[in-house]
Amino acid sequence: MEDFVLKKIISAEDISCKVKELAKTIKSDCNGGSLLFVGVLKGAWMFMADIVRYLDMPLEVSFIAVSSYKDGTSSTGVVRLLWDSDISMEGKNVYIIEDIIDSGLTLQHLKKLFSVRNPKSINICCLLDKPSRRVVDLEPDYTGFTIPDEFIVGYGLDYDNKFRNLKDIHKLKFLSRGK
Ligand code: IMP
Ligand code: MG
């Protein structure tokens, strides 16, 4: 791996406060019905595990696995479905739990995929948002932190499958690339 430095940009404490806040907002917005939380693997595994613990109400948890990053830090634009949710979405209020929205292609793809499964509603909750990178017209319903166009790792997010276990969120800077 190239030489790099990690710079902490969001602490574990700030993440924890934000996750609690998001859970509180989701809880107060939702008006009953069946709730299904679908985590997008792998990046959202930590976020999903944390947010559902603050949602003290009946809900179902499921996961979907997609791959959209085949060239390191830049999107190929191709979203591959690696694992599908095994829980029916019919008539349910579906919450897609995602680590980060960048180009928006992954979530656009998932929204289309889920909408033909007849859910009552589809809501998107992203811990992080990089709005300056968007190539499609899509905004999450719930956003934790809005960040600039920087490659970040930690709290579930990876570079080349590494750094997912870091408890804080860091900017990953490659020394040879100057960014
Ligand atoms: P999008 O389809 O371009 O919106 O990309 C979304 C996916 O790319 C996310 O689910 C992440 O897994 C990954 N991704 C985007 N930006 C970053 C980043 O800064 N660090 C790590 N993964 C990222
Ligand atoms: Mg992801």
Side-chain angles (χ1 to χ4, degrees):
M1 193 168 166
E2 301 170 52
D3 286 340
F4 64 90
V5 285
L6 290 175
K7 184 175 173 245
K8 193 201 285 190
I9 58 163
I10 309 172
S11 69
E13 292 72 24
D14 288 348
I15 297 169
S16 177
C17 288
K18 188 62 82 178
V19 174
K20 277 182 216 166
E21 199 182 296
L22 285 170
K24 206 172 156 189
T25 313
I26 289 176
K27 197 177 169 197
S28 71
D29 283 358
C30 82
N31 36 21
S34 303
L35 308 178
L36 172 62
F37 283 71
V38 183
V40 185
L41 295 173
K42 298 176 201 166
W45 63 282
M46 233 185 234
F47 179 36
M48 177 71 150
D50 283 345
I51 198 163
V52 291
R53 276 182 279 184
Y54 295 116
L55 289 160
D56 52 338
M57 55 191 182
L59 57 84
E60 291 176 295
V61 169
S62 191
F63 288 96
I64 193 157
V66 295
S67 169
S68 55
Y69 269 67
K70 284 284 135 206
D71 300 329
T73 62
S74 55
S75 176
T76 57
V78 179
V79 180
R80 285 200 306 145
L81 185 60
L82 306 175
W83 170 263
D84 203 349
S85 168
D86 56 355
I87 299 185
S88 165
M89 297 185 180
E90 182 91 38
K92 295 176 186 169
N93 293 311
V94 172
Y95 289 81
I96 304 177
I97 303 298
E98 175 64 305
D99 53 357
I100 187 166
I101 177 167
D102 187 47
S103 68
L105 289 165
T106 305
L107 282 165
Q108 187 189 53
H109 181 87
L110 290 180
K111 240 187 145 171
K112 264 194 210 140
L113 182 72
F114 291 177
S115 62
V116 295
R117 299 179 181 184
N118 301 321
K120 187 172 173 199
S121 66
I122 300 177
N123 307 275
I124 295 175
C125 175
C126 286
L127 182 65
L128 299 142
D129 185 5
K130 283 193 228 175
S132 62
R133 298 260 305 169
R134 205 77 90 253
V135 301
V136 294
D137 184 19
L138 190 110
E139 291 311 316
D141 301 281
Y142 302 93
T143 304
F145 303 95
T146 299
I147 59 166
D149 178 13
E150 293 170 345
F151 198 80
I152 54 153
V153 293
Y155 193 69
L157 291 107
D158 75 310
Y159 171 72
D160 200 19
N161 280 311
K162 298 173 190 78
F163 311 113
R164 292 193 197 276
N165 57 318
L166 301 177
K167 64 185 190 331
D168 308 296
I169 291 175
H170 301 260
K171 173 181 170 179
L172 177 67
K173 187 173 146 98
F174 291 101
L175 298 174
S176 56
R177 299 188 199 176
K179 190 182 169 190

